[in-house]
Amino acid sequence: METKCEMLLWTLLLCFSLNVLGELEESQSEDDVDLDLTDFNLEIAPRRIPRQLKTVLSKETKPHIQELSIKTTIISRYAFTAVYCAMLNRHNAATEGVFQFQIPADAYVSNFTMIIGGRVYQSEVRPKQKRVKQENGKPRNKQPGDASPEPEVEVFKMAVDIPGRNRAVFLLTYEELLQRRLGRYEHVTSLRPMQLVSRLSLDVTIVDHSTVTDLEVLPLRNGKSNAAGSAGAGAKTPAKPEPPITTVIKNEKNVCKITFSPNIVQQAKITTNGNLGDFVIRYDVQRDMGIGDIQVLNGHFVHYFAPKDLPVVPKNVVFVIDTSASMLGTKIRQTKDALFTILRDLRPGDRFNFISFSNRIKVWQPKGLVPVTPLNIRDAKKFIYMLMPTGGTNIDGAIQTGSSLLRDYLQGPDASPNSVSLIIFLTDGRPTVGEIQSTAILGNTRSAVQEKFCVFTIGIGNDVDYRLLERMALDNCGMMRRINEEADASAMLKGFYDEIGTPLLSDIRVNYTEDSVQYVTQHLFTNYFNGSEIVIAGKLTNQSAESLHVQVTASNNDKSIILETDVPLQHRQLETEKHVKAATAAMAAGSRAVGSGVTQSLGAAMGSIAEDFVERVWGFLSVKEGLRSRLRSQTSREREGHIQQATNLSLTYHFLTPLTNMVVEKPEVLADGTMAPAPTVLPAAEEAASPANELPGDPDDRKPQKPDGMRSSQTSSLRNTIGKAERRPAKKSITVSKTSADGDPHFVVEFPLSKLTVCFNINGEPGHVLRLVSDHKYSGVTVNGKLIGAPAPPGSHKQQRTYFSSITIVVDRPRRAYIEVTPKKVILDGRDRMVLPCHSTVAVDSGELSVAIVGKSNVTVTVGGNIGFVILLHQYKNPAPYQRDHLGFYIGNSKGLSHNCHGLLGQFLYEEVGLAELPADGGDVKPSQVLKVKDRSVPVVKKSRRIYSGTQSVDCWFARNNAAKLIDGQYEDYLMSHMFDTGDWPHGTNRA
């Protein structure tokens, strides 16, 4: 998974670095005048720019945004968004540039990178630290669990100093799973650069397994309508809304493309402050009645279930409305308007009641819930009309009263056994009367509800304990909705009720073939409401299985529903791969149509990461589920378990969540406005060599790799603070053999019995998975390595180079477990799943597998005490475009591997080789050398290789032509289908 992210990043960086440097040279050749339109890099002729617009541009003092390019790809409702922002400081002095971008609250940032002065500053996601207290006893930073629920959007913000006459590039990626509300998916892109942009473009591609229907692009949304619109159909929009100017829509059944690219004059006609608003796309997909849509890709599955054309289940609803003094004015007026509208939408089979609360609690119908009749509707309107805000806020008493009403009705003779029961609770404040402790209120609510109905909570404004409301909803199978102070509360309340006002199913259970799946996300649901969608994801335990049996059971009114089918896994895998390829092709075609080199790179790079979208859906849902479980936890031990699990997954998928921080180094700008010199790193040849057969320990024990005064910035919950570098203690050296695959990749094989060392290169393709060690049938150990591509450095004869971006060690005895190593993290999946960062020093023993990490240096993996591998971590602080973080693989202890071991390295562990000299044909031609391997003669030449991070040289006999004749079979025989493939060597053992 990290490989895909790295491919995305490096594809972007290579193009952007060249593009930025090229444009910078042009701009620096201009004179520094008050208004040089060339600096703004406009796409239209200066004579066509109105005088008023020139005046606006001339008053700009902050760095100017030359380009803002946003590209989103939505594959089966999972959206990947990449934001590219190029910002120019037109002045000679250094100036602070602020990059900020609003992202949806449900989305997770997955990468942030800056390019400033030609140097790359890449972010790293780390676990959030425990609460640190100041001297006055107040917390310096919040606990993960204390974080309030996010608002409708979050603002990602980063401020950096940009050197004079220089440019900064910011790259931001984020991901989200679109939620279906009222029969539509809604994708929102915030266009608020806060200034006019020279080149602004938005490109959204929707690719789905099913036909896309009801596609519409709304007018730019801003102000109060912004909040209202997020409620879905609760907001009133024109019958045929006109999309924003320059919008182009192409709808081709399963693939839709939407582009929006106003020039700077067209932007100014909308607004001159750069606050264009939200670009909103709504759509649905065609679906059939049945088990739903199941997609399979690379060992993971995602199941979308949204039945339709079902009878509506009657509901029993109690509205609990805050009428404390703080509701006076607009809040109570908008609340009343929404309740009047909701009353008209109640169905004849429903039962309802109203409660108002402040200091006192008033019940409209004290005897219980009443049916929907014209008389009852009229009396309810009178009750609502007479609501007068006054007094404090007795949240606990109101919930207890509402729960008692609903509970008593359900126990009575009039209750329908298959109806859906719920409380809708609305407040704008915190508890001030009666019980005011959140823990006690939550406990009282659970006791009163008794798992007999659901509680849905709504908060209005800024003075609400949203964490209390969210926990109250999560504890009682409901959900919470937040309404901002400036929002249209009436439309949002109505929209929220519309989402939950039409229940179709209750007690939904989704089951899959036993022992065929694992790590499945939530598959039990209390209710299903019309227009929504249930999404479940998980891992397949057997990727070669022919089918997966799926069964859905649920209740609809007085009927029990059972849906089941056998899903053909291989067919679904091919279908999913087909529409992923369609997405990649559509992104590339759309980028070519736009024409910008930057946009083209965005399209190509996003396509590479989208190839693992099903696994990322699973990771996204699993993190969300872990965060919800954390809030529902009843004990500190249970809570810590959920926090650890969600944190590990956040690190695995590089998600910035409430449990993680995003750390990125900031450049240092000198007083004269120039960049501070880059840190000096001595070449490996000048470093002190380690003793033979030993790897260096912690890199901090050697030459310093960063200057004093290095500054790092830490983005926590999307806000940046300053962090400090930590120094780690010295670590011991590790003894290993020379048999290895390191660098580009260069393979070295040591033959101790023959006293010879042989080396060879493997010129693979990016994305290929190579079999390094294969002993699955005997010791149960398999080692696979995945290649990542990189452009060749200037002057190289190669077109590209490849490195190992991840290495997986799979063990099948006594139970299946694996370790996956990347330059940034180690995933250990044995008895429990753990994610360990590579920047820390840690050791973990998990039964047959143990792992020891020397921070930023190496990872040692031991299997059963007699098999050991060492993986070197090659990381670059400020990498050039042709450099990649990568891994080196060394065999430390092979005693436990069998004589039938195979793989690119494993096949040589127990071999003996000989060296022979062929006589020259005559003249001055020197005799050639051949290596005798398994009755094969392999031409070789003498070479020298550097191993162990360049600390040692080894003389070896080099076999050319991709190790032809040296290795058994051909290169293609060593390609694996995926990182966890333990398939046998296709030509038997290496024995004659």
Side-chain angles (χ1 to χ4, degrees), residues 92-94 669-674:
N92 289 324
V669 179
L670 302 178
D672 61 359
T674 62

Side-chain angles (χ1 to χ4, degrees), residues 317-323 327 330-346 352-357 364 372 376-388 422-427 456 458 460 483 488-498 500:
V317 56
V318 176
F319 298 90
V320 182
I321 308 301
D322 185 349
T323 56
M327 287 286 290
T330 303
K331 292 179 184 176
I332 194 66
R333 177 177 55 78
Q334 292 184 339
T335 299
K336 289 181 178 182
D337 290 343
L339 292 176
F340 289 145
T341 306
I342 289 170
L343 279 174
R344 293 198 299 267
D345 292 343
L346 290 173
F352 72 107
N353 206 337
F354 283 93
I355 294 173
S356 68
F357 70 96
W364 170 53
V372 177
N376 286 335
I377 294 295
R378 186 193 67 184
D379 290 346
K381 287 182 178 179
K382 291 180 181 178
F383 177 80
I384 294 170
Y385 182 79
M386 296 301 295
L387 294 177
M388 297 296 293
L422 49 110
I423 288 177
I424 298 179
F425 178 87
L426 180 146
T427 184
F456 295 83
I458 306 168
I460 302 179
I483 302 177
D488 183 348
S490 179
M492 291 200 71
L493 281 170
K494 180 58 171 60
F496 184 59
Y497 173 79
D498 287 343
I500 62 177

